[in-house]
Amino acid sequence: MATEELRGTQVLNLALRQATTCVDGMAALAHRRDSATGRLRLVAASGLAAASAQIWADLREEQDVAPACAVRRGALIWVGGDSLGIGAVGTAAVPLLGADGPVGVLSVFTAGVGEPDEVQQSFLYAVAAWVGGCPDGVPGTPPGPDSTAGRERAVRMGRLTAALAEAATTQDVVRAFADHVMPPFAADGLVFEVVERGRLYVVGSAGYPSEFIRMIDAMPIAANTTVHDVMQTRTPRFVESKAEFDRLYPTMDHLNERSPKQAWAFLPLIASGRAIGLCVVSFSQPRTFSDEQRTWLTALSSLVGQALERARLYDVEHARAQELQRGLLPRTLPRLPAASAAARYLPAGRGEEVGGDWYDLIPLSADRVAIVIGDVMGHGITEAATMGRLRTAVRTLADLDMPPDELFSRLNDLVSDLGEDSYATCLYAVFDPVAHTCSYTLAGHPPPVVVHPDGSVHSPDVVPDPPLGAAVPPFDTHQLHLPAESMLVLCTDGLVESSTRDVDQGLAELRHILADSQDLTACLEAADQDEDVRCLEHLCDTVVSALLPDSGQTNDDAALLIVHARSTPVGDVASCDLPEDPRAAGQAREFVREQLAVWGLDDLVITTELLVSELVGNVVRHAKGPICLRLLRSRSLICEVYDGSLTTPRIRHATYTDEGGRGLQLIAALSRRWGARYLHDSKCIWTEQDLPHPAASGEPSTDQQ
């Protein structure tokens, strides 16, 4: 039934049912206020026996019961206790406002653990505003002197209430008030201030120069007698001219002189029984305020106070959520010898701004790079916490140099242990800049998009394994050949999937965007890593703006990671095969001396000879061949010794009388870091040493060139 078709008791009965439902109440009542006598007459009831309702059939406005208190205060109140003996926890009452003030009151008997929360209170205000704005909404209420204008005001009140019910942030509340209140009153200035630690902080304004806002921001309440007066008495103050302002507040003449306004309505913002701030509605010309205008502005301020308190709580939680998300995702992506990267994370809609999508770039041994992107099903604080656990687990397992399929087996166990409703999709790739290969595993995740040096773009046609938590190992490992200067583009389904396109369509659109982007060419032709990262950042923005032009309306988190992979130059890699006998150590030292001389790293010869002697000697004594030595020159000098054994080396704590057992201790002391990684039928022990400063090796420094 349309609103305009409802009359009298029909409106109230529907309103009572809606109000009871919204707060999980037991029953509800509606009273009409007799403006002549000030008494409240019962006109409708829902969910109450006649005998119980009769107790509140006729109330005096000064009585200490919820309906009378709500009418006196002009705002929603909640009174604990079972007033009518029906088993209720408390009573929530909200006034029904007409053109000249309260024309009645709506009361709901609650059965929850306490007073209605902010959302429920906003809904009660909306129901009350709707009833007050309906013609003949409260039976027996005589029309005002200008019932048409009164209904228009009530309709505006309903619209404001609806806007405030949807307002999530403090700025949303300020915008709602400015849009729905300033035009009807012909106001051209607005300031919202909140109280924190004895000071007033401006949280929103309109129609004021920034210099004036800076002057009043963070002003102590005690130093502003106008505000102090309004906050202490919780009573609005209406000042109709600058002359009146000077007369009322002579100590504030310096503020009055700098203010661009000529008249003001100072409205206290009340929430949960306390003054939380101040709303100032102002005008550029002197004016008078009629009784009706004063009543309406007072009622509006009471309504806005509740919304602002809720919004401030949201702002606090939003800030905490953002801090949590920043702590879980990489603050910056590392710039590695074999990879530069840029990324974007976009939370779902206007929710908690956190979710389960993540990405990472992890340096591995031999300049290899682990590239990760994942998506925990759902979004919110719980999913973000799960994401944090998975990201930590991936970094820990990656540090052990596990191949992708084995890492996913461990990760699948972790997700399964979280519960049967926990699932995550993930893509884990390892790029080897020497072999020009990328090994990756998919678990329910979109495949990577590959950009070749010539600008061509394609996606591998592979079938992913089921998501983590639902998969059964083993996982498939896929291989890509990546020529020098290739790019990998990874994303979660929130970027490419929506209500209007499926994942395949979204990936096709992503490939098209990349192929046509000028930023792509700039990235492939970047002169240095700084320029490369800038181009990657621009490319991320291009992709996101094209695929998610209105990210605030998305219903899923989205992540994007673009990696520019670089191969190791051939001249920076040297290797040799060694015999499986004691001669191997001597040949290894000779190879080191010759190669480091070619690279101009003579200062590292002695240390590197010691390292390869220990590594090769351990293979000869404790492992088996074939033996291979490989040196890589990068930001550090990497020394690798391969053998055919899968035995795990470990540092022994040798005593003073032991003749051996100190080899790995020596390796750890001489290296910046060292470790082992395992291949299909062999292993590699590797070390890293810092390169000497150019000046120390006799080469001209950058400053000298």
Side-chain angles (χ1 to χ4, degrees):
M1 184 180 293
T3 300
E4 57 270 15
E5 297 174 351
L6 296 174
R7 293 296 182 267
T9 305
Q10 287 180 306
V11 171
L12 284 178
N13 287 336
L14 178 57
L16 293 179
R17 290 194 297 270
Q18 290 178 327
T20 303
T21 301
C22 88
V23 298
D24 297 324
M26 302 174 59
L29 297 173
H31 289 82
R32 172 179 59 82
R33 178 179 180 271
D34 188 331
S35 58
T37 64
R39 301 188 76 86
L40 302 176
R41 312 287 186 182
L42 183 65
V43 292
S46 174
L48 272 181
S52 298
Q54 191 61 32
I55 299 175
W56 276 5
D58 186 5
L59 300 174
R60 300 186 310 278
E61 196 169 322
E62 65 271 13
Q63 282 185 245
D64 191 22
V65 292
C69 292
V71 170
R72 290 198 304 271
R73 297 183 185 179
L76 185 148
I77 63 109
W78 184 82
V79 178
D82 189 11
S83 304
L84 299 186
I86 61 173
V89 172
T91 307
V94 60
L96 307 175
L97 299 175
D100 300 313
V103 297
V105 60
L106 187 151
S107 307
V108 182
F109 299 94
T110 61
V113 296
E115 65 180 298
D117 59 27
E118 289 81 3
V119 175
Q120 292 170 328
Q121 290 182 23
S122 293
F123 192 88
L124 285 175
Y125 270 118
V127 172
W130 174 67
V131 174
C134 291
D136 304 321
V138 184
T141 301
D146 187 357
S147 57
T148 301
R151 284 195 293 271
E152 290 177 357
R153 297 269 191 196
V155 169
R156 292 193 187 107
M157 178 77 146
R159 291 172 180 168
L160 173 62
T161 303
L164 292 176
E166 297 178 358
T169 68
T170 299
Q171 294 306 312
D172 291 340
V173 173
V174 174
R175 280 192 295 269
F177 194 91
D179 292 343
H180 295 279
V181 177
M182 292 177 66
F185 288 91
D188 53 19
L190 179 67
V191 177
F192 270 81
E193 298 175 283
V194 296
V195 179
E196 291 182 6
R197 299 180 298 278
R199 292 179 177 269
L200 276 172
Y201 293 88
V202 177
V203 295
S205 65
Y208 280 90
S210 56
E211 295 80 6
F212 184 80
I213 295 300
R214 284 195 296 267
M215 183 179 67
I216 64 174
D217 191 26
M219 179 179 290
I221 295 179
N224 192 325
T225 55
T226 313
V227 174
H228 187 268
D229 179 25
V230 174
M231 298 288 287
Q232 284 290 103
T233 62
R234 300 187 184 181
T235 303
R237 291 289 184 267
F238 298 91
V239 182
E240 299 181 341
S241 66
K242 280 183 173 286
E244 184 181 1
F245 188 97
D246 282 335
R247 179 174 57 81
L248 292 173
Y249 308 107
T251 61
M252 300 300 296
D253 57 341
H254 64 288
L255 194 63
N256 190 17
E257 291 175 359
R258 298 188 182 183
S259 174
K261 306 303 178 183
Q262 300 283 334
W264 304 265
F266 296 95
L267 308 172
L269 300 176
I270 310 298
S272 304
R274 61 189 180 88
I276 64 169
L278 188 76
C279 172
V280 183
V281 182
S282 57
F283 308 82
S284 294
Q285 299 297 327
R287 63 164 298 162
T288 58
F289 296 92
S290 67
D291 290 341
E292 178 188 352
Q293 291 170 339
R294 292 171 185 250
T295 299
W296 272 93
L297 284 171
T298 301
L300 291 172
S301 67
S302 299
L303 177 63
V304 172
Q306 299 288 339
L308 185 64
E309 178 75 350
R310 183 184 72 248
R312 292 180 68 201
L313 293 174
Y314 173 89
D315 289 340
V316 171
E317 292 303 317
H318 172 70
R320 290 174 179 171
Q322 285 188 317
E323 184 178 355
L324 172 63
Q325 190 76 66
R326 284 193 296 267
L328 294 176
L329 291 175
R331 291 185 180 273
T332 58
L333 291 171
R335 299 186 182 188
L336 305 175
S340 300
R344 292 292 182 271
Y345 169 78
L346 295 94
R350 293 172 55 193
E352 293 171 312
E353 301 275 348
V354 293
D357 290 17
W358 90 94
Y359 53 84
D360 216 340
L361 197 68
I362 307 170
L364 303 177
S365 61
D367 274 355
R368 296 173 308 126
V369 182
I371 307 166
V372 194
I373 193 165
D375 180 5
V376 177
M377 301 299 185
H379 58 269
I381 296 294
T382 301
E383 287 74 15
T386 301
M387 175 268 283
R389 296 176 65 179
L390 294 182
R391 178 173 177 249
T392 300
V394 169
R395 292 190 70 89
T396 302
L397 296 173
D399 194 52
L400 298 175
D401 260 323
M402 285 187 177
D405 57 339
E406 184 178 347
L407 184 145
F408 265 33
S409 295
R410 303 288 184 90
L411 208 60
N412 186 64
D413 292 339
L414 174 59
V415 176
S416 298
D417 290 343
L418 295 177
E420 60 182 13
D421 294 330
S422 295
Y423 302 100
T425 68
C426 191
L427 188 161
Y428 180 86
V430 175
F431 170 60
D432 187 332
V434 177
H436 299 194
T437 60
C438 179
S439 305
Y440 67 97
T441 299
L442 296 171
H445 205 86
V449 175
V450 183
V451 181
H452 288 281
D454 61 0
S456 60
V457 181
H458 82 283
S459 293
D461 186 13
V462 296
V463 178
D465 287 295
L468 299 171
V472 177
F475 291 87
D476 292 331
T477 300
H478 310 281
Q479 295 284 343
L480 282 173
H481 176 71
L482 293 183
E485 305 300 327
S486 297
M487 296 175 65
L488 286 174
V489 181
L490 288 66
C491 67
T492 58
D493 58 2
L495 184 71
V496 294
E497 186 178 30
S498 69
S499 58
T500 59
R501 64 176 180 237
D502 59 27
V503 172
D504 292 336
Q505 292 173 326
L507 286 173
E509 188 172 347
L510 171 60
R511 293 192 295 269
H512 180 74
I513 294 167
L514 291 169
D516 290 347
S517 174
Q518 294 181 352
D519 295 317
L520 179 64
T521 304
C523 290
L524 294 173
E525 297 176 354
D528 54 44
Q529 200 164 33
D530 288 340
E531 182 182 350
D532 189 15
V533 171
R534 286 194 297 270
C535 293
L536 291 173
E537 295 285 351
H538 291 156
L539 184 57
C540 282
D541 292 336
T542 299
V543 170
V544 168
S545 61
L547 290 174
L548 296 178
D550 191 2
S551 59
Q553 301 301 316
T554 59
N555 55 13
D556 193 10
D557 308 308
L560 170 68
L561 176 63
I562 302 180
V563 181
H564 187 180
R566 301 184 199 82
S567 298
T568 302
V570 175
D572 288 339
V573 182
S575 62
C576 72
D577 295 324
L578 299 173
E580 299 181 48
D581 58 45
R583 295 175 302 164
Q587 293 181 16
R589 289 192 294 272
E590 182 180 357
F591 177 77
V592 164
R593 287 192 297 270
E594 293 176 354
Q595 187 59 49
L596 294 189
V598 173
W599 286 341
L601 298 176
D602 300 292
D603 290 347
L604 295 180
V605 168
I606 295 177
T607 303
T608 309
E609 282 184 325
L610 286 172
L611 289 172
V612 298
S613 294
E614 290 295 335
L615 292 176
V616 173
N618 280 340
V619 173
V620 173
R621 288 189 296 270
H622 306 295
K624 62 180 181 179
I627 308 174
C628 178
L629 169 63
R630 188 172 76 167
L631 300 177
L632 295 115
R633 180 179 62 171
S634 181
R635 294 179 183 175
S636 60
L637 178 63
I638 302 167
C639 177
E640 299 177 321
V641 173
Y642 294 81
D643 66 68
S645 170
L646 296 178
T647 303
T648 303
R650 61 184 180 88
I651 294 180
R652 290 178 52 193
H653 296 285
T655 65
Y656 290 111
T657 57
D658 289 341
E659 295 183 0
R662 298 178 180 85
L664 291 181
Q665 291 180 346
L666 178 62
I667 290 172
L670 296 176
S671 306
R672 184 179 67 181
R673 64 178 190 140
W674 72 281
R677 68 176 182 270
Y678 298 88
L679 311 176
H680 176 65
D681 55 357
S682 60
K683 73 172 182 292
C684 168
I685 309 297
W686 54 268
T687 67
E688 287 186 10
Q689 302 174 72
D690 290 324
L691 296 182
H693 191 275
S697 60
E699 298 180 3
S701 66
T702 303
D703 296 336
Q704 294 173 329
Q705 289 180 331

